[in-house]
Amino acid sequence: MGTKLTFTLHAGGESRTETLAIRHAVIAGWTGRDKVALEKHIVELEELGVARPASTPIYYRVAAARFTTAGEIESTGPESSGEVEFMILQAGGRRWLGVGSDHTDRKVETYGITVSKQMCDKPVAADLWALDEVLPHWDSLLIRSYAVIDGARVLYQQGSVAAMLPPEEIIAGYEPGFSDGTAMFCGTLAAIGGIRPAARFEFEIEDPVLGRIIRHGYDVTVLPVAG
């Protein structure tokens, strides 16, 4: 079981395209390094009716088939939204850094977080950087997202990955272990202006030290709810 996605891998100043198998997909939640910012995000979700986590970080399994590099996803009803997260994927014994959106049904999230995670596709960018090449300057990396809301493109999230725990610490907390075929979303930032749905969501990770950016965006088609 699982899925296969084609990525462009960037390492050692060279790039190559490979199709990688993802067999285990994990969403690591409440990974904040800054406890004040972490509390802000928890409160943000509490305002939507989402219960506080029993522990932090916490790890949710989702179907690997939910991961996609497509430029469009479908959601049931208008109550879903995206959030940018850096992603760690292991393949061929090496760990790679990417970026994705933990698109989540916010209505379902109020009564079942695991179910809400499973309901939506998880768009990811089709480029990956070798993780070991960015770890020496990890805290300089930036993630941000933009949302098209009521026809206007707005900055939705922005900040340093230093807001989250270092990737090695997040990975170490996952008890089943991290092996080839595992992909993990590793945490997000509070939304500027609050969590809200968007017709289009765009996200990116920037490495200002090496002067490069990975970007991706997707449109959201809302399916009608019967009854």
Side-chain angles (χ1 to χ4, degrees):
M1 297 295 290
T3 191
K4 292 183 178 180
L5 297 177
T6 300
F7 294 97
T8 300
L9 309 180
H10 304 272
E14 298 181 350
S15 301
R16 69 181 189 276
T17 299
E18 283 192 20
T19 298
L20 304 180
I22 298 176
R23 292 184 293 275
H24 307 285
V26 186
I27 310 295
W30 289 284
T31 60
R33 189 187 313 185
D34 182 333
K35 298 307 178 183
V36 174
L38 178 62
E39 176 65 17
K40 180 179 178 180
H41 187 52
I42 291 174
V43 170
E44 183 179 58
L45 291 174
E46 278 187 313
E47 291 173 352
L48 298 177
V50 180
R52 283 177 168 265
S55 61
T56 58
I58 191 167
Y59 301 88
Y60 304 99
R61 283 293 303 273
V62 298
R66 281 299 188 188
F67 278 48
T68 178
T69 55
E72 180 180 2
I73 67 168
E74 296 176 319
S75 67
T76 301
E79 315 250 359
S80 68
S81 63
E83 54 187 30
V84 62
E85 306 210 10
F86 70 85
M87 176 186 73
I88 307 298
L89 188 157
Q90 183 166 317
R94 192 170 191 180
R95 289 175 180 166
W96 300 88
L97 172 66
V99 64
S101 172
D102 179 17
H103 202 93
T104 299
D105 187 304
R106 302 300 173 185
K107 184 176 182 179
V108 175
E109 191 175 33
T110 63
Y111 61 82
I113 296 178
T114 299
V115 177
S116 73
K117 300 293 185 186
Q118 177 65 27
M119 287 187 68
C120 301
D121 286 339
K122 309 299 183 188
V124 298
D127 289 89
L128 300 172
W129 295 329
L131 180 62
D132 54 33
E133 294 182 359
V134 298
L135 285 178
H137 56 275
W138 177 258
D139 284 359
S140 68
L141 301 182
L142 303 170
I143 55 173
R144 64 179 64 88
S145 67
Y146 299 88
V148 176
I149 301 172
D150 296 328
R153 183 175 184 266
V154 300
L155 180 64
Y156 190 76
Q157 296 168 283
Q158 179 170 251
S160 168
V161 297
M164 276 70 76
L165 295 169
E168 303 99 316
E169 191 169 337
I170 297 173
I171 289 170
Y174 182 57
E175 291 186 359
F178 210 87
S179 58
D180 278 6
T182 301
M184 180 182 288
F185 280 7
C186 295
T188 193
L189 305 168
I192 300 168
I195 294 172
R196 51 212 193 275
R200 179 172 175 79
F201 196 76
E202 301 169 0
F203 54 88
E204 62 189 40
I205 185 166
E206 178 182 0
D207 181 348
V209 173
L210 298 181
R212 54 186 181 172
I213 298 178
I214 296 174
R215 293 188 175 97
H216 186 59
Y218 60 97
D219 298 316
V220 181
T221 297
V222 176
L223 303 176
V225 178

